[in-house]
Amino acid sequence: MSLDPPPYLASLQNNIRSRPIPWDGAVRANTISDDQLSKIRAVDKVRKEQRKEVVEGDLDGYRTLFVGGGGKPSVLESAAKRGDVVQYILVLLGDLLDGIPALAKALSGHPDPYGSLVPLLTQSNDPESPIPLLTSTVLTSMIATAPEFSKKEASAIPRLFTYLSTLTLITDGGLQDIAVLEYSALLRSKKSRQLFWEQRRETVGPLVNILKAAAGVSNGDSASTLWSSAGSMRSGIEGNIGGGVGLQLLYHVLLVHWQLSFEGADIGEGLDEEYDIIPLYTQLLRLSPKEKTTRLLISSLYNLLSTNRTTLLPAAVLAKLPTLLQNINGRHLSDPDLLEDLQNLSEMLDEYTKTQTTFDEYAAEVNSGHLRWSPPHRSPTFWAENARRILEHEKGALPKKLAEIMGKPWETDKQVLAIACNDVGCLVKEVPEKRSQLEKLGLKTRVMELMQEKDESVRWESLNALSGWLRYSFETK
């Protein structure tokens, strides 16, 4: 699984390279100047060594050719009305950037190196339009190879992220792979990763959907599906896995997530709160078809959990990650980095689980803001032993959190509301004299509202909770 250009992009570039361009006619029509044509011909269709020598001998001239300067427009601006010329220049510039590092450095020295390129990203709404696609490739190469991530890069990259995000929304795996590979090339600096996270609705969200599809969880399924999923990931004849996601695309998406995980201290909690990333990674790890995908998942989990121990370790335990790691430890693995991260992750989870009581696990789940049918919810023994402690712990913090959870609609995961109603009912049953505490939080009113829910499990659990409430109310009269 190399990071070579995807076949779709390579085919497009080869097709454009082979097209004849009537350069002399373009000069006569004032599409480009004689000087611009001279510089193009000096590096077009010549040996790489000659091309490199020519460009390095006139870096200022080629900087002016491609991004303008000294009052002169760039060749892309001059030829703006000639789509065939623009496409050819973009491919030529991409080739030069790949083979001549000094050119990238020279371009970055321009006061506004991306000014004539960024507008081309929005030239067409067609995701298969060559000019925006080729422009994204050139911009990615320029930004990724810039000597430093300056304000110029920070200004250009959000619009590039926005364009690439449109490709990830398309069901065409080839276009998705182009976008993901360019993301990976761009996420080499801390600042670019921070900007990527700031645009997470556009950037992270679609990538999570690709991972969910690979894990066998469709976008229409509730998040709780991740906690009970027991599907299997199998590589097909053409290298496809769950949801038709290609194995190479899966690897590249995981690579981007791994790069993002280095900002775990800042984004780890948000990743799990917004995308249920810990159970998703755990499910993918359970089904991982290759050692390379396993390595990325283990490393990402370690980066996130080690920087968010208080909030994410409980989620990992709920997702049964410790048990899964025991199984993975029994596999014949050869990658030394994978083995080291696996050992560190296992030791961290072992240390955490040794000190946790059932009450701690329940409190951590409630504080995570997302309930699952974990064992305590259905255990009469747990409620008999811990109901009063739940109500009194940290001055009633857990019931307040339950009220906060129940206040949300949970449109894609109604099971959360059903579990919350179950818990409220258990609290009323075990500590009926504390009903007023729950009523002041609005829990009785909310339970009554949920009796009108369309979801059958929510109606059932709310009815059970309310019946207990009413029973104790009558008994005290």
Side-chain angles (χ1 to χ4, degrees):
M1 298 179 204
S2 68
L3 298 185
D4 294 331
Y8 183 97
L9 180 60
S11 175
L12 174 63
Q13 291 169 329
N14 287 332
N15 181 275
I16 292 172
R17 289 188 192 101
S18 65
R19 294 177 189 171
I21 302 293
W23 293 113
D24 292 322
V27 172
R28 288 194 297 272
N30 292 321
T31 300
I32 61 174
S33 68
D34 283 314
D35 182 57
Q36 288 173 333
L37 177 57
S38 175
K39 286 183 171 54
I40 291 169
R41 281 181 165 161
V43 295
D44 188 29
K45 294 181 171 59
V46 298
R47 298 190 319 273
K48 290 183 178 179
E49 296 80 7
Q50 181 180 343
R51 172 183 284 177
K52 187 172 186 290
E53 183 179 343
V54 169
V55 172
E56 290 181 343
D58 187 15
L59 287 172
D60 289 342
Y62 279 93
R63 178 173 59 199
T64 301
L65 173 69
F66 290 118
V67 297
K72 296 180 179 180
S74 72
V75 67
L76 292 168
E77 292 171 310
S78 300
K81 295 182 179 179
R82 284 286 301 273
D84 59 334
V85 175
V86 171
Q87 290 177 34
Y88 198 92
I89 294 300
L90 287 169
V91 172
L92 177 61
L93 176 53
D95 292 342
L96 295 177
L97 288 168
D98 285 344
I100 310 172
L103 177 59
K105 184 176 181 180
L107 293 179
S108 69
H110 188 279
D112 185 15
Y114 311 109
S116 61
L117 286 159
V118 169
L120 296 178
L121 293 171
T122 55
Q123 190 190 69
S124 171
N125 292 324
D126 181 359
E128 296 187 19
S129 179
I131 290 178
L133 188 60
L134 295 169
T135 301
S136 75
T137 302
V138 168
L139 281 170
T140 297
S141 182
M142 289 174 64
I143 293 173
T145 56
E148 63 176 343
F149 194 89
S150 68
K151 290 181 179 180
K152 292 179 286 189
E153 285 70 38
S155 176
I157 205 170
R159 292 176 67 180
L160 179 54
F161 282 156
T162 295
Y163 169 74
L164 294 176
S165 72
T166 64
L167 300 184
T168 63
L169 294 171
I170 300 168
T171 55
D172 186 313
L175 290 173
Q176 288 178 319
D177 206 31
I178 291 170
V180 174
L181 279 173
E182 291 185 13
Y183 277 157
S184 181
L186 293 166
L187 297 181
R188 294 173 182 173
S189 71
K190 182 178 183 68
K191 182 60 179 176
S192 65
R193 293 192 291 268
Q194 290 172 339
L195 291 171
F196 188 81
W197 176 247
E198 288 177 10
Q199 290 180 244
R200 57 188 175 276
R201 286 184 179 275
E202 293 178 301
T203 56
V204 178
L207 299 188
V208 169
N209 289 337
I210 293 173
L211 294 181
K212 284 183 177 180
V217 181
S218 69
N219 291 340
D221 288 340
S222 69
S224 59
T225 307
L226 284 169
W227 297 89
S228 57
S229 180
S232 60
M233 186 183 291
R234 296 286 184 265
S235 297
I237 295 175
E238 299 180 359
N240 285 339
I241 47 180
V245 177
L247 187 56
Q248 180 168 282
L249 176 59
L250 172 66
Y251 176 74
H252 292 156
V253 173
L254 289 175
L255 180 62
V256 169
H257 273 251
W258 171 72
Q259 290 172 281
L260 199 58
S261 73
F262 285 95
E263 307 306 318
D266 296 324
I267 71 169
E269 190 172 343
L271 263 175
D272 196 53
E273 183 177 323
E274 296 180 36
Y275 303 108
D276 267 321
I277 209 69
I278 300 303
L280 176 57
Y281 280 0
T282 303
Q283 176 65 1
L284 287 167
L285 185 59
R286 184 175 290 113
L287 309 172
S288 177
K290 297 287 184 179
E291 189 165 307
K292 283 188 175 183
T293 53
T294 299
R295 180 186 64 194
L296 288 174
L297 285 162
I298 290 289
S299 183
S300 297
L301 281 165
Y302 180 73
N303 288 344
L304 294 175
L305 294 178
S306 62
T307 52
N308 298 272
R309 294 180 183 236
T310 302
T311 53
L312 297 190
L313 283 175
V317 173
L318 285 169
K320 301 180 181 178
L321 180 59
T323 303
L324 176 59
L325 293 181
Q326 290 176 3
N327 295 334
I328 294 175
N329 272 307
R331 298 178 188 174
H332 296 290
L333 302 172
S334 58
D335 187 291
D337 292 332
L338 167 57
L339 289 169
E340 181 180 356
D341 284 340
L342 179 59
Q343 180 180 349
N344 291 335
L345 183 58
S346 298
E347 289 176 354
M348 179 169 56
L349 281 163
D350 286 345
E351 180 182 347
Y352 173 76
T353 54
K354 286 177 182 177
T355 63
Q356 294 302 292
T357 64
T358 309
F359 173 82
D360 292 329
E361 293 176 11
Y362 176 79
E365 181 182 339
V366 173
N367 285 323
S368 77
H370 198 151
L371 305 179
R372 297 95 181 174
W373 278 120
S374 54
H377 298 287
R378 293 296 199 189
S379 170
T381 302
F382 170 79
W383 290 107
E385 295 176 351
N386 293 284
R388 186 174 298 277
R389 184 180 177 188
I390 289 170
L391 291 168
E392 296 174 352
H393 178 69
E394 294 183 356
K395 298 181 180 179
L398 292 176
K400 290 176 183 176
K401 188 65 178 181
L402 274 177
E404 179 185 320
I405 293 170
M406 292 182 71
K408 299 177 181 179
W410 295 98
E411 294 295 346
T412 61
D413 197 2
K414 292 294 183 182
Q415 181 175 257
V416 172
L417 294 173
I419 298 168
C421 287
N422 169 83
D423 291 6
V424 171
C426 291
L427 290 172
V428 171
K429 177 183 177 182
E430 295 297 334
V431 197
E433 67 274 18
K434 295 286 187 177
R435 296 193 308 279
S436 61
Q437 177 184 346
L438 302 177
E439 291 174 9
K440 288 177 182 178
L441 295 172
L443 286 170
K444 182 179 181 181
T445 301
R446 182 56 174 154
V447 166
M448 294 175 68
E449 292 173 352
L450 293 175
M451 291 178 65
Q452 308 302 316
E453 266 286 340
K454 293 181 180 179
D455 186 273
E456 184 178 353
S457 65
V458 176
R459 293 200 309 271
W460 173 255
E461 295 296 345
S462 62
L463 177 62
N464 280 344
L466 188 62
S467 64
W469 221 308
L470 294 175
R471 181 171 68 253
Y472 289 110
S473 296
F474 289 133
E475 288 178 359
T476 57
K477 288 184 179 180

